[in-house]
Amino acid sequence: EPEVTQTPSHQVTQMGQEVILRCVPISNHLYFYWYRQILGQKVEFLVSFYNNEISEKSEIFDDQFSVERPDGSNFTLKIRSTKLEDSAMYFCASWPPGQGTKNIQYFGAGTRLSVL
Amino acid sequence: KQEVTQIPAALSVPEGENLVLNCSFTDSAIYNLQWFRQDPGKGLTSLLLIQSSQREQTSGRLNASLDKSSGRSTLYIAASQPGDSATYLCAVTPFGSGYALNFGKGTSLLVTP
C-alpha cells in the first residue's frame, strides 16, 4: 500500500537554528498537510497546501514557519529560528483526489523534533 | 471554535472485554468524523471514517457510530485483545476548514492478558 514518508525520524537542533522537515506524500494526492503533537497533548493542525499554495493555516503557523513543494514530490516544513516550545512530533499527511470527504488522510510516521 | 473531547483519557481492561470509547464535538457542522489509532512514538492509522450523513461504520471488531445532532461518536471494540493497546484518537473535519482535521486528545487503552 502506498505510504507517506517522512525524514528524518528524529531531529535534534539547538535553539535558534533553522530546521527543514521533509515529507514525500503519496504520488497522486492533491492536498498536503502538516500537523504537530507536543508530548502529552493533542494533534494540532498547522497548514494545508493545495495547488502549490497554502490553502489554510492555523494560528500556530506564524512567520517562523514556511512550506514548500520544491520538486513536485517532496513537501517540506521549515522552521526558521527554532524555540524550545517547537519541540514536538511533526506529522505530514496527504489526501487523495476524488470522492471528497469520503477519503481518509494518510499520515506519515512523523519526525520527532527536539530543540535544546 | 470546534472543540473535540474524548472520555475517558485512559482505560485498562482485561482481554476479551467489549469496550466503548467516547468522543464529543461542539459544532455539528462537519463533513466527517474519523477514528485513528496511534501506537507509542508512531504515526496515525485511520481506523474508520463516518460521513456526516451516515450513522455508523464497521470494520472487523470495530464499530463506530455518529450522532451529529448531539455531537457524539462512540467507538466500540468487541472482544478486546492485548494488541489493541494503543491510543485512540477521534478527529472531525469541520465545514470551511480546508479539510484539516481537528483532533481530540485521545483515549489511552491498555488491554491486559
Side-chain angles (χ1 to χ4, degrees), chain B residues 14-32:
Chain B
E15 181 177 6
E17 273 204 9
N18 303 324
L19 57 101
V20 174
L21 308 181
N22 297 292
C23 172
S24 61
F25 47 97
T26 54
D27 188 343
S28 61
I30 62 170
Y31 290 116
N32 59 42

Side-chain angles (χ1 to χ4, degrees), chain A residues 13-55:
Chain A
T13 190
Q14 296 289 326
M15 191 170 56
Q17 294 296 304
E18 174 183 288
V19 294
I20 297 176
L21 309 183
R22 302 181 191 281
C23 170
V24 179
I26 296 171
S27 61
N28 66 334
H29 287 194
L30 297 181
Y31 275 87
F32 312 110
Y33 302 84
W34 284 101
Y35 296 85
R36 80 172 185 190
Q37 186 179 32
I38 295 171
L39 189 64
Q41 299 190 22
K42 67 177 184 177
V43 177
E44 300 173 291
F45 166 69
L46 293 178
V47 65
S48 60
F49 194 84
Y50 172 73
N51 202 25
N52 287 319
E53 60 183 20
I54 291 173
S55 65

Side-chain angles (χ1 to χ4, degrees), chain A residues 31 33 35 37 40-43 45 48 55-56 89 91 95 101-105 107-109 112, chain B residues 3 31-32 34 36 38 41-44 46 49 51 89 96-105:
Chain A
Y31 275 87
Y33 302 84
Y35 296 85
Q37 186 179 32
Q41 299 190 22
K42 67 177 184 177
V43 177
F45 166 69
S48 60
S55 65
E56 189 176 5
M89 181 74 96
F91 293 108
W95 196 35
T101 57
K102 294 181 184 177
N103 289 325
I104 63 172
Q105 288 186 19
F107 280 76
R112 178 162 298 286
Chain B
E3 295 289 339
Y31 290 116
N32 59 42
Q34 292 184 63
F36 289 85
Q38 183 177 29
K42 305 286 179 148
L44 308 177
S46 182
L49 180 149
Q51 290 287 96
L89 304 178
S97 66
Y99 309 112
L101 295 172
N102 190 328
F103 285 85
K105 206 170 172 183

Side-chain angles (χ1 to χ4, degrees), chain B residues 77-97:
Chain B
I77 302 177
S80 58
Q81 303 170 358
D84 295 329
S85 299
T87 297
Y88 291 81
L89 304 178
C90 166
V92 299
T93 308
F95 285 169
S97 66

Side-chain angles (χ1 to χ4, degrees), chain B residues 70-81:
Chain B
S70 67
R72 294 183 183 183
S73 176
T74 61
L75 179 66
Y76 175 83
I77 302 177
S80 58
Q81 303 170 358

